[in-house]
Amino acid sequence: MNQDTISRIRKFSEDRDWDQFHAPANLAKSVVIEAAELLECFQWDNDNYDLQSVKEELADVLICSQQLLDKLGLDADEIVNMKMSQNEAKYPIEKAKGKALKYDQL
Amino acid sequence: MNQDTISRIRKFSEDRDWDQFHAPANLAKSVVIEAAELLECFQWDNDNYDLQSVKEELADVLICSQQLLDKLGLDADEIVNMKMSQNEAKYPIEKAKGKALKYDQL
Amino acid sequence: MNQDTISRIRKFSEDRDWDQFHAPANLAKSVVIEAAELLECFQWDNDNYDLQSVKEELADVLICSQQLLDKLGLDADEIVNMKMSQNEAKYPIEKAKGKALKYDQL
Amino acid sequence: MNQDTISRIRKFSEDRDWDQFHAPANLAKSVVIEAAELLECFQWDNDNYDLQSVKEELADVLICSQQLLDKLGLDADEIVNMKMSQNEAKYPIEKAKGKALKYDQL
């Protein structure tokens, strides 16, 4: 997300005085709730879905995630790169290639 | 997320030949699964949490979300701004200020 | 679930002095967390799953749900029958037959 | 749940010809989706919640869980007792008493 988008998300909450509700635990709940609404687009059919609904629900996941990043003073690129280093180590290419297994089953 | 981070996420899956598993429905499941692991950091205590675990699990939510964006050819800024326009209309400042209510209860 | 099973679940928490952690909100989080672990059995493949893992994770969903019922003094049969009456009214047979649609789209 | 309640849940799906949608993976998604709606009752406030909504959403979790039990030919008491034996072994009373820790951290 670029800085303008992030600022828009922040202003939205500030304008509504919603920071008081944004305890980290509440935002973590929100991320799951929005993620489940995203999953609902695929509830009874894996292959046919309404793209507009997927866009809206995925956007909500990203918005709540950004609010949690903000609340905790975190930077998306920093934590994602930290986690990608972990993932790269946990899933060596030669072992993980072509397999949908958890790292402890490789 | 900047372009380098996005490229790293893409390369990770390409190197492991994992695109075959990344049906949109499977990625939507993954977003919920990772979001629930994030919530687990707050399962029994809303106020005391391990920040490193929160970083790792939130990063996983962002990674899966990016994989779904990629799979569907979507741009985070575009869908988030589209959704923010909806949210701004659904939650007018004068009605929503200071209230944690759903738009249909305002 | 029969009364012996319910009693075993209660005794398990009592023996460990865990009632202090079982705020309704925490149990609601637990139900989602366990439900996501159940979903993980189907994360990358809808059709091939490890039945033993499914049993274990579904059991955890039932256990947490029972703990929430207990905490709130609710009876499973009572609330399920109340909700089934709602569902039967929301999804009239002639309209809903053979369709995987939400009631507001019928 | 008693046998009458279980029969009512079964008849509801049969009458609507919905068994075709009830692949185990789809029911696992449904359990998460309903569990997240339950969590929504506690999204912004852990202590004040609408009891009627909690009843309805918890009932939906139980209904979907029963549908998955049915689909897989499982018995709630059997799998819950199997899992309780595991839990009792993983969380010895003397180690787990009064602590909200995962078994691998005890």
Side-chain angles (χ1 to χ4, degrees), chain B residues 9-101:
Chain B
I9 295 172
R10 284 180 191 156
K11 186 170 166 17
F12 179 79
S13 291
E14 282 163 17
D15 283 349
R16 283 155 190 79
D17 200 14
W18 280 359
D19 188 62
Q20 59 185 309
F21 306 121
H22 288 185
N26 291 355
L27 292 172
K29 287 181 240 167
S30 302
V31 175
V32 182
I33 291 165
E34 298 300 344
E37 293 184 7
L38 171 63
L39 184 64
E40 205 176 342
C41 301
F42 305 92
Q43 185 172 11
W44 303 116
D45 192 326
N46 293 291
D47 302 314
N48 300 294
Y49 47 88
D50 179 62
L51 184 59
Q52 178 58 22
S53 299
V54 172
K55 284 182 188 179
E56 292 175 13
E57 302 304 343
L58 180 51
D60 275 335
V61 172
L62 294 171
I63 293 165
C64 291
S65 298
Q66 182 59 46
Q67 291 172 325
L68 183 50
L69 286 168
D70 265 4
K71 189 69 186 186
L72 299 174
L74 301 174
D75 176 74
D77 287 291
E78 197 178 309
I79 66 167
V80 167
N81 277 293
M82 175 271 293
K83 192 55 168 62
M84 287 306 296
S85 295
Q86 291 182 8
N87 291 354
E88 286 158 7
K90 273 158 80 176
Y91 295 93
I93 297 177
E94 61 278 12
K95 279 196 185 175
K97 197 162 188 169
K99 291 185 207 139
L101 292 173

Side-chain angles (χ1 to χ4, degrees), chain A residues 1-104:
Chain A
M1 256 188 265
N2 64 40
Q3 208 50 50
D4 281 355
T5 310
I6 294 175
S7 298
R8 186 174 182 177
I9 294 172
R10 284 180 191 155
K11 187 170 165 16
F12 179 79
S13 290
E14 282 163 17
D15 283 349
R16 284 157 189 77
D17 200 15
W18 280 359
D19 187 63
Q20 59 185 309
F21 306 121
H22 288 184
N26 291 354
L27 291 172
K29 288 181 240 168
S30 302
V31 176
V32 183
I33 291 165
E34 298 300 343
E37 293 184 8
L38 171 63
L39 184 64
E40 205 175 342
C41 302
F42 304 92
Q43 185 172 12
W44 303 116
D45 191 326
N46 293 291
D47 302 314
N48 301 295
Y49 48 86
D50 179 60
L51 183 59
Q52 178 59 23
S53 300
V54 172
K55 285 182 189 180
E56 292 174 11
E57 302 305 343
L58 180 51
D60 275 334
V61 172
L62 295 171
I63 293 166
C64 291
S65 298
Q66 182 58 47
Q67 290 173 325
L68 184 50
L69 287 168
D70 265 3
K71 188 71 187 184
L72 299 174
L74 301 174
D75 176 74
D77 288 292
E78 197 178 308
I79 65 167
V80 168
N81 277 293
M82 175 271 292
K83 191 57 168 59
M84 287 306 297
S85 295
Q86 291 182 7
N87 292 353
E88 287 158 6
K90 274 157 78 175
Y91 295 93
I93 296 176
E94 61 279 13
K95 280 196 182 175
K97 198 163 186 168
K99 291 183 207 143
L101 293 174
K102 277 199 112 170
Y103 65 94
D104 53 7

